[in-house]
């Protein structure tokens, strides 16, 4: 406040007083300007600078000095930074998803910590198999994302859109920040909470599940959205970005948040103590002006500079598969779809939190949660849809909005979600004044433009189609220029008072179906909605010819759009899907003009039928179309023109449409490959070994379709097939009962799709079950005259398996592959000579592991495939998929003696009557294993009553005289 000190000091006193002020001001780093006048004082603080004005006598002569405001101490700055991180990350917005939440600000943002459900990755228990014991590496249990982050200093977390990558980043950020802030709920205990139990596991596991591992304590989190860094932090001239650019961007963000004083303290802590750097959205960096390379270089340089920091990067899976995206020195892990346990936990937490916000009775909230879980788990389609966290959140919101009912088709769910987003984006804004009256502050967009709301939606459909068609990359959402949106809206407007500037202001304040991104750019909230709106456009414009032509020529861009367009059109009339099928698949594979475009067309036609058609009510005139698609899908598998993941999808479609391949679907049509008698190289040392009798091995593993007759014939309850299980007390009068079974089993363990599809290898079977099946099948085939009397069907020994996979000194010029009924009187095959008399190839096809040749980790299918998807990987004798897909049981014991073995030891190992409880050998590897574990020589063993989604088997045929009776 002004303070008059003196009005009439003598010149001497004034000079003395001014000298004192100068001295004190100098010590404070301030300035004094001299003049005449009375002394008065006034202080103002602006930002971090304090300005004092002192008048000393006289008529208007003033003296000024300034000095910095007192500096905030580092602990206070750190707390402010952590609070900012916590508050930014601890929100899960439902704006535009749930109308009730959109109308209630308190519900528009949920607490992430209250609803978050732990994520799993598909990576197995060990990422370094050459340094780990095989038993540890081959554990089947999936690994949590937290465990991956705990294990790897530099991690890339991959996943499809909506799989939870960004949510995981935010969750880790709030837990670490909350730990440092001593938050009561969001802390390290929440970060490491045990994984949700699956429905099956919950019934068998008695002890409490362990917490997820985290040994690094409360690390300082640093969260950066890479798209923002690309827009504001990298050099504009395209030169390589460095750690310095990334640090400057972070410092600028702190400056914008009024935390610039914390920057040097943060830098010091990251250098000296480390922290967790969370870099979200590598795939959202535009692929223009060398920005991908710049971002990649900046991340790698930052990792090399801030060596004490741990770093997490997120990206879409397909984007990161490109070689120029991969980060040197980083380990990648792929997020897995939600399990039943994860879905159940999310629904319970979601409704509990919503119940609190809406003041629901807790029993009512839990009752609604049970209704939603029942709806999800009773519908295969809805269950598959909710494997993705984003769509599960939408589903939960829609369930509440619709009063407990849900659409069971993906397209219908998207349609409802789009309607909600459009309603939020386009609707009126109403507030209450001081007297409680409702006041319209902003009309709806259609009201303001004076056009029908349908015209606004049609415009958005068209914009989505054009943006999708012209988007340079096939990931993320397209940037839509503000000028395009404004121009199109003004064109349909019938309100002359609408000005471009006002329209821009309107759009910038809205959130929902179009979001502002950067300067004068908009985008859709997710690629799913961009694709769905484009599909809506294409159902109204030249359907189905335009969409069919687009997708046949550019399937990766238009696949989802095509499937959604077909499903949407089919809701209007069931014939619409068949029109699309005709446009996509109109040629037979035997047509000389048949091209890759036809293969893609058939591939997508199969998916479209599965998603949108009611196959149980298909009319007679449409059945030939289904049959043509099936023939084309079989051709797609055999010619290997599609990438492996697409062939796997074709196989899944084929299973649901009706796979016409007898060798895969029937017992009578099973095919066998002839293995010649000869020496062959055995084991890792490629030692010569004689196998002096010919035999036949199944071309494919036994499929679910081929195992089902054994189940239907009540084979699980017939004691004559279960001698070994009876001796070990795993079979009683009630049937087969393994260690992990709560009741007698009448079929393989149920694992769900795609493992359960008819043309996939049967899995979830123990050695006892595989052995019982071979005995039943041997009896079945002999009774029907399909197997010569002196031939026996059984599990192959591991030596027979290895030779069939690897080849021998003599291999046929052309593999001899015949169906069961053609085994009689087969002529001796012609033999091709080889430069190496004992080929020692690592894999059935050669020495290089190729993802196009087998289903293993690098192929990235992530599950079993329909047999026959990998014809390029056939062994020299014609047997397919002996590497990858599933581990295959053999009849051989796993003994302590070295492998390979002499004749006496071999006889002992193949004696089924001896040691019925000793572990048995499996060969071939499986879909989730690295190339090392799918070599021809790789051996694995398991207890004979163990089962797994990785365990299957194939069968072999041998003349009875080739071996002695051993207690079958």
């Amino acid at each position: 406040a002004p303070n008059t000190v003196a009005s009439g000091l003598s010149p001497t006193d004034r000079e003395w007083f001014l000298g004192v002020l100068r001295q004190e001001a100098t010590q404070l780093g301030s300035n004094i300007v001299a003049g005449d006048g009375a002394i008065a004082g006034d202080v103002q603080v602006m930002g971090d600078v304090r300005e004092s004005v002192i008048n000393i006598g006289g008529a208007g002569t003033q003296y000024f000095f300034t000095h910095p405001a007192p500096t905030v101490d580092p602990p206070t700055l750190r707390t402010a930074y952590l609070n900012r991180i916590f508050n930014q990350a601890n929100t899960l917005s439902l704006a535009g998803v749930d109308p009730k939440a959109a109308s209630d600000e308190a519900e528009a943002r949920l607490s992430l910590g209250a609803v978050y459900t732990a994520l799993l990755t598909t990576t197995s228990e060990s990422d370094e198999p050459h340094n780990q014991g095989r038993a540890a590496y081959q554990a089947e249990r999936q690994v949590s994302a937290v465990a991956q982050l705990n294990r790897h200093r530099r991690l890339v977390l991959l996943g499809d859109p909506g799989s939870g990558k960004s949510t995981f980043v935010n969750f880790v950020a709030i837990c670490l920040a909350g730990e440092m802030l001593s938050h009561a709920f969001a802390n390290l205990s929440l970060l490491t909470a045990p994984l949700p139990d699956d429905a099956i596991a919950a019934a068998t596991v008695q002890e409490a599940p362990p917490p997820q591992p985290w040994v690094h304590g409360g690390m300082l989190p640093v969260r950066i959205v890479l798209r923002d860094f690309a827009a504001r932090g990298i050099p504009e001239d395209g030169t390589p970005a460095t750690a310095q650019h990334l640090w400057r961007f972070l410092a600028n963000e702190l400056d914008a948040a009024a935390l610039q004083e914390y920057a040097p303290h943060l830098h010091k802590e990251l250098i000296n103590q480390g922290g967790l750097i969370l870099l979200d959205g590598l795939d959202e960096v535009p692929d223009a002006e060398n920005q991908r390379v710049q971002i990649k270089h900046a991340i790698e340089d930052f990792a090399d500079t801030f060596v004490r920091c741990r770093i997490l990067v997120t990206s879409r899976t397909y984007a990161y598969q490109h070689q120029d995206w991969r980060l040197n020195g980083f380990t990648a892990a792929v997020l897995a779809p939600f399990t039943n346990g994860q879905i159940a936990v999310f629904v319970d937490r979601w409704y509990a939190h919503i119940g609190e916000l809406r003041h629901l009775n807790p029993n009512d909230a839990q009752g609604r949660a049970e209704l939603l879980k029942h709806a999800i788990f009773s519908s295969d389609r809805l269950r598959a849809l909710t494997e993705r966290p984003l769509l599960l959140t939408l589903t939960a919101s829609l369930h509440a909005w619709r009063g407990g009912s849900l659409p069971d088709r993906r397209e219908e769910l998207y349609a409802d979600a789009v309607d909600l987003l459009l309603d939020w984006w386009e609707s009126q804004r109403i507030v209450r004044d001081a007297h409680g009256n409702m006041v319209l502050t902003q009309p709806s967009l259609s009201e303001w433009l004076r056009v029908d709301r349908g015209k606004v939606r049609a415009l958005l459909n068209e914009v989505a189609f054009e943006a999708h068609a012209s988007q340079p990359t096939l990931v993320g959402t397209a940037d839509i220029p503000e000028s395009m949106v404004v121009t199109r809206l003004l064109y349909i407007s019938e309100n002359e008072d609408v000005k471009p500037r006002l329209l821009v202001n309107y759009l910038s304040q809205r959130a929902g179906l179009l979001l502002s991104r950067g300067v004068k750019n908009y985008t859709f909230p997710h690629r799913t909605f961009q694709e769905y709106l484009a599909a809506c456009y294409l159902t109204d414009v030249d359907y189905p010819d335009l969409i069919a032509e687009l997708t046949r020529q550019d399937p990766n861009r238009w696949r989802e759009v095509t499937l959604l367009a077909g499903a949407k059109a089919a809701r209007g009339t069931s014939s619409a899907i068949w029109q699309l099928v005709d446009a996509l698949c109109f040629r037979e594979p035997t047509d000389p003009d048949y091209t890759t475009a036809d293969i893609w067309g058939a591939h997508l036609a199969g998916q479209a039928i599965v998603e949108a058609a009611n196959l149980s009510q298909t009319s007679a005139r449409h059945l030939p179309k289904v049959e043509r698609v099936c023939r084309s899908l079989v051709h797609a598998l055999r010619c290997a023109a599609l990438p492996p993941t697409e062939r796997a999808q074709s196989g899944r479609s084929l299973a649901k449409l009706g796979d016409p391949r007898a060798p895969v679907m029937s017992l009578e049509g099973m095919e066998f490959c002839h293995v010649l008698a000869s020496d062959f190289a055995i084991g890792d040392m490629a030692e010569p070994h004689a196998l002096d009798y010919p035999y036949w091995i199944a071309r494919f593993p036994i499929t679910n379709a081929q195992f089902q007759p054994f189940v239907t014939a009540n084979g699980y309850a017939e004691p004559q097939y279960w001698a070994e299980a009876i001796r070990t007390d795993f079979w009683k009068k009630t049937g087969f009962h393994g260690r992990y079974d709560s009741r007698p089993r009448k079929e393989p363990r149920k694992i769900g799709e795609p493992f359960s599809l008819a043309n996939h290898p049967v899995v979830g079977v123990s050695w006892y079950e595989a052995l019982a099946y071979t005995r039943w099948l041997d009896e079945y085939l002999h009774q029907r005259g399909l197997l010569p009397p002196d031939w026996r069907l059984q599990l192959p020994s591991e030596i027979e398996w290895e030779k069939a996979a690897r080849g021998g000194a003599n291999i046929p010029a052309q593999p001899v592959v015949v169906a069961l009924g053609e085994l009689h009187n087969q002529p001796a095959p012609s033999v091709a000579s080889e430069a190496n008399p004992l080929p020692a190839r690592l894999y059935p096809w050669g020495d290089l592991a190729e993802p196009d040749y087998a289903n293993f980790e690098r192929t990235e299918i992530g599950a079993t495939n329909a047999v026959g998807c990998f014809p390029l990987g056939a062994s020299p004798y014609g047997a397919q998929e002996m590497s990858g897909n599933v581990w295959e049981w053999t009849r051989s014991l796993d003994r302590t003696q070295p492998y390979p073995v002499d004749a006496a030891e071999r006889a002992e190992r193949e004696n089924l009557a001896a040691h019925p409880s000793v572990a048995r050998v499996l060969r071939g590897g499986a879909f989730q294993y690295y190339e090392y574990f799918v070599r021809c020589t790789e051996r694995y063993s398991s207890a004979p009553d163990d089962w797994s989604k990785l365990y299957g088997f194939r069968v072999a045929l041998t003349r009875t005289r080739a071996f002695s009776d051993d207690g079958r």
Side-chain angles (χ1 to χ4, degrees):
N3 178 30
T4 301
V5 179
S7 59
L9 291 176
S10 67
T12 302
D13 290 337
R14 285 200 302 273
E15 186 63 26
W16 169 82
F17 187 74
L18 184 60
V20 173
L21 285 178
R22 284 198 181 98
Q23 182 179 0
E24 293 179 351
T26 300
Q27 294 173 352
L28 293 172
S30 305
N31 301 308
I32 290 293
V33 181
D36 293 328
I39 300 175
D42 187 64
V43 178
Q44 293 180 333
V45 177
M46 296 176 293
D48 62 347
V49 177
R50 176 170 298 182
E51 177 180 71
S52 299
V53 181
I54 301 179
N55 297 331
I56 305 181
T61 302
Q62 297 178 328
Y63 301 84
F64 300 88
F65 74 91
T66 61
H67 64 81
T71 302
V72 181
D73 62 282
T76 302
L77 288 169
R78 194 173 192 263
T79 298
Y81 167 78
L82 290 170
N83 273 305
R84 182 171 183 271
I85 288 285
F86 187 92
N87 292 328
Q88 281 186 328
N90 190 33
T91 55
L92 182 67
S93 177
L94 291 183
V97 175
D98 187 338
K100 184 171 180 59
S103 63
D104 186 339
E105 185 63 27
E107 290 188 23
R109 292 182 176 274
L110 302 183
S111 167
L112 174 60
V115 299
Y116 178 83
T117 302
L119 301 177
L120 296 173
T121 69
T122 57
T123 310
S124 53
E125 289 285 356
S126 170
D127 294 297
E128 298 178 353
H130 56 283
N131 290 331
Q132 303 291 335
R134 191 162 63 233
Y137 171 67
Q138 292 169 344
E140 178 185 343
R141 185 180 178 185
Q142 291 175 317
V143 180
S144 75
V146 169
Q148 297 283 16
L149 189 62
N150 177 68
R151 178 183 299 162
H152 302 291
R153 179 174 291 275
R154 301 176 182 181
L155 177 68
V156 179
L157 189 64
L158 305 175
D160 292 332
S163 60
K165 303 183 297 296
S166 296
T167 303
F168 180 71
V169 165
N170 292 338
F171 177 72
V172 171
I174 67 169
C175 289
L176 295 180
E179 179 72 17
M180 294 180 171
L181 294 169
S182 299
H183 195 280
F185 175 68
N187 47 39
L188 289 185
S189 294
L190 181 61
L191 179 70
T192 60
L195 294 170
D197 283 337
D198 243 13
I200 295 177
T204 57
V205 178
Q206 301 299 322
E207 58 186 34
Q212 298 176 73
W214 181 258
V215 299
H216 308 289
M219 302 188 74
L220 186 70
V222 176
R223 177 174 162 270
I224 295 174
V225 178
L226 289 175
R227 186 179 185 88
D228 294 338
F229 174 49
R232 302 193 293 271
I234 62 177
E236 294 182 358
D237 60 1
T239 57
T242 64
Q244 183 65 23
H245 292 101
L246 189 54
W247 169 253
R248 286 176 184 169
F249 170 77
L250 179 57
N252 289 337
E253 295 294 292
L254 292 174
D255 187 44
L259 286 171
Q260 61 269 32
E261 286 188 75
Y262 184 55
H265 303 290
L266 175 61
H267 188 276
K268 181 179 179 181
E269 181 167 348
L270 294 180
I271 287 289
N272 293 336
Q273 300 174 31
L276 180 59
I277 313 299
L278 304 164
L279 305 175
D280 192 23
L282 179 63
D283 58 286
E284 295 186 3
V285 175
D287 186 20
E289 299 177 0
N290 209 35
Q291 286 188 327
R292 286 182 181 175
V293 176
Q294 288 178 294
I295 294 291
K296 178 177 181 289
H297 191 275
I299 294 173
E300 291 172 346
D301 192 42
F302 194 91
D304 292 338
T305 302
F306 292 80
V307 294
R308 295 184 181 275
C309 289
R310 305 180 73 83
I311 300 178
L312 171 67
V313 181
T314 68
S315 174
R316 275 184 69 165
T317 306
Y318 287 131
Y320 195 72
Q321 288 175 349
H322 296 287
Q323 192 62 38
D324 58 343
W325 279 62
R326 296 181 183 270
L327 295 167
N328 293 323
F330 281 71
T331 299
V334 181
L335 284 174
F338 264 4
T339 64
N340 288 352
Q342 288 171 294
I343 292 172
V345 167
F346 174 87
V347 171
D348 287 339
R349 290 177 178 174
W350 193 90
Y351 257 117
H353 190 44
I354 289 293
E356 290 179 359
L357 294 176
R358 296 182 181 176
H359 309 291
L360 298 176
N361 180 287
N363 291 333
D364 183 19
Q366 183 58 38
R368 296 187 186 190
E370 293 302 322
L371 287 175
L372 178 54
K373 287 187 288 187
H374 176 75
I376 292 173
F377 296 133
S378 61
S379 167
D380 290 341
R381 289 182 174 178
L382 192 54
R383 168 64 183 82
L385 185 67
T386 53
E387 288 179 346
R388 189 171 297 187
L390 170 69
L391 295 180
L392 178 56
T393 304
L394 290 175
T395 302
S397 298
L398 288 168
H399 185 263
W401 179 56
R402 293 166 61 102
S405 64
L406 286 173
D408 63 354
R409 292 181 183 268
R410 183 176 63 145
E411 181 274 333
E412 293 180 58
L413 185 58
Y414 291 168
D416 283 347
V418 165
D419 285 344
L420 290 176
L421 291 170
L422 181 61
D423 180 74
W424 174 234
W425 183 68
E426 198 269 348
S427 62
Q428 296 176 338
R429 286 191 174 177
I430 299 174
V431 297
R432 293 184 182 273
D433 62 16
H435 303 287
N437 301 316
M438 290 192 297
V439 178
L440 177 65
T441 61
Q442 196 176 66
S444 73
L445 184 60
S446 56
E447 289 173 337
W448 191 37
L449 298 176
R450 296 177 187 170
V451 297
D452 183 80
R453 182 174 177 175
K455 287 189 175 181
V456 176
R457 171 61 186 276
L459 182 149
L460 290 173
N461 292 346
E462 184 178 17
V463 167
F465 168 73
E466 293 181 8
H468 193 75
S470 60
Q471 187 176 354
T473 63
L474 301 181
V475 296
T477 53
D479 284 329
I480 304 170
E482 181 182 84
S483 58
M484 173 193 281
V485 180
V486 171
T487 300
R488 300 290 179 86
L489 288 172
L490 288 174
Y491 181 78
I492 66 171
S493 173
E494 297 180 8
N495 183 358
E496 296 179 356
D497 294 330
V498 175
K499 300 293 187 286
R501 182 178 59 80
L502 296 176
L503 186 54
V504 168
N505 184 59
Y506 181 99
L507 295 173
S508 66
Q509 296 176 18
R510 313 299 286 189
L513 202 49
L514 270 185
L515 303 176
S516 178
R517 180 162 73 183
V519 179
K520 296 186 176 182
N521 267 312
Y522 292 88
T523 192
F524 295 102
H526 194 274
R527 187 175 178 85
T528 293
F529 301 116
Q530 176 179 303
E531 291 168 333
Y532 178 72
L533 292 171
C536 292
Y537 174 82
L538 286 166
T539 56
D540 295 331
V541 178
D542 197 17
Y543 178 88
D545 294 330
L546 177 56
I547 183 60
E549 182 61 24
L550 288 171
T551 198
R552 281 165 56 88
Q553 300 302 324
D554 192 357
N556 288 326
R557 181 183 298 274
W558 295 105
R559 170 210 308 271
E560 289 299 315
V561 177
T562 300
L563 297 176
L564 292 171
K568 180 180 182 297
R571 272 209 290 165
T573 172
S574 60
S575 63
I577 188 63
W578 299 110
Q579 295 171 15
L580 179 61
V581 169
D582 264 342
L584 288 169
C585 179
F586 53 86
R587 288 194 183 103
E588 290 283 355
T590 54
D591 192 314
D593 294 327
Y594 202 79
T595 65
T596 301
D598 293 299
I599 295 175
W600 276 105
H603 176 54
L604 294 175
Q607 288 182 255
I609 296 173
V610 169
E611 288 202 15
N614 187 341
L615 289 170
S616 65
Q617 298 180 2
T618 303
S619 66
R621 68 189 184 92
H622 293 317
L623 285 177
K625 300 172 185 178
V626 177
E627 293 167 358
R628 180 172 67 240
V629 170
C630 287
R631 288 191 295 271
S632 298
L633 292 178
V634 170
H635 173 77
L637 299 190
R638 290 174 177 168
C639 73
L642 298 177
T645 53
E646 303 298 340
R647 297 203 298 273
Q649 178 59 57
S650 281
R652 292 193 287 271
S653 298
L654 200 56
K656 295 180 179 182
L657 298 178
D659 196 327
R661 296 176 296 166
V664 170
M665 303 296 291
S666 72
L667 297 177
E668 293 77 3
M670 288 178 64
E671 292 180 337
F672 287 83
C673 305
H674 192 232
V675 181
L676 295 168
S678 68
D679 290 350
F680 74 105
I682 190 171
D684 289 331
M685 301 304 293
E687 298 179 20
H689 190 88
L691 205 56
D692 58 0
Y693 58 90
Y695 58 97
W696 299 80
I697 194 159
R699 190 179 193 183
F700 303 114
I702 294 296
T703 63
N704 289 299
Q706 292 165 334
F707 196 87
Q708 184 58 37
F710 172 63
V711 175
T712 304
N714 204 27
Y716 274 81
E718 297 295 334
Q720 65 268 30
Y721 308 131
W722 300 88
E724 291 73 24
I726 291 173
R727 286 199 292 272
T728 53
D729 209 28
F730 285 122
W731 195 97
K732 301 177 183 178
K733 291 182 179 180
T734 52
F736 178 68
H737 197 296
R739 272 182 298 172
Y740 308 110
D741 296 329
S742 57
R743 60 182 63 88
R745 204 186 314 170
K746 298 181 179 179
E747 60 186 350
R749 279 292 188 125
K750 292 184 177 179
I751 299 175
E753 291 189 9
F755 301 93
S756 60
L757 293 176
N759 58 10
H760 284 231
V762 63
V763 294
V765 291
S766 65
W767 181 79
Y768 292 130
E769 290 165 276
L771 191 62
Y773 173 82
T774 63
R775 289 175 174 152
W776 172 86
L777 183 57
D778 180 78
E779 179 183 279
Y780 175 92
L781 295 177
H782 277 109
Q783 288 175 351
R784 284 157 180 76
L786 294 172
L787 200 59
D790 60 339
W791 286 82
R792 179 180 292 179
L793 184 142
Q794 59 183 357
L795 291 175
S797 70
E798 66 167 323
I799 292 178
E800 290 169 346
W801 188 98
E802 184 172 335
K803 182 180 182 183
R806 202 172 196 180
N810 295 322
I811 61 173
Q814 292 293 329
V816 178
V817 181
V818 299
L820 271 172
E822 302 171 4
L823 284 174
H824 298 275
N825 303 318
Q826 281 294 316
S830 59
V831 176
S833 61
E834 291 194 350
N836 180 1
L838 287 180
R841 53 178 62 86
L842 294 178
Y843 306 98
W845 58 86
D847 290 333
L848 295 178
E850 299 288 352
D852 205 40
Y853 285 44
N855 180 6
F856 63 106
E857 184 269 342
R858 279 175 49 203
T859 311
E860 297 179 336
I861 292 175
T864 58
N865 59 265
V867 299
C869 284
F870 292 90
L872 297 178
S875 80
Y877 299 111
Q880 293 187 24
E881 294 168 34
M882 299 196 76
S883 282
N885 210 3
V886 292
W887 282 107
E888 298 181 11
W889 286 110
T890 72
R891 67 177 187 267
S892 299
L893 284 165
D894 184 37
R895 303 296 294 272
T896 57
Q897 290 86 348
Y899 177 84
V901 298
D902 58 27
E905 174 63 19
R906 176 185 163 196
E908 176 65 15
R909 290 186 185 223
E910 296 176 20
N911 186 349
L912 300 181
H915 313 293
S917 62
V918 174
R920 299 285 166 165
V921 174
L922 299 104
R923 302 297 293 261
F927 62 85
Q928 73 178 33
Y929 286 79
Y930 290 89
E931 52 261 43
Y932 180 86
F933 293 95
V934 297
R935 296 172 304 133
C936 293
T937 59
E938 184 61 17
R939 307 172 68 242
Y940 180 52
S941 65
S942 194
D945 65 310
D946 279 349
W947 65 271
S948 167
K949 69 180 180 182
L950 306 175
Y951 296 175
F953 65 98
R954 75 177 70 213
V955 296
L957 296 172
T958 315
R959 288 187 182 275
T960 308
R961 59 179 172 79
F963 53 86
S964 59
D965 195 308
D966 50 19
R968 278 172 47 88

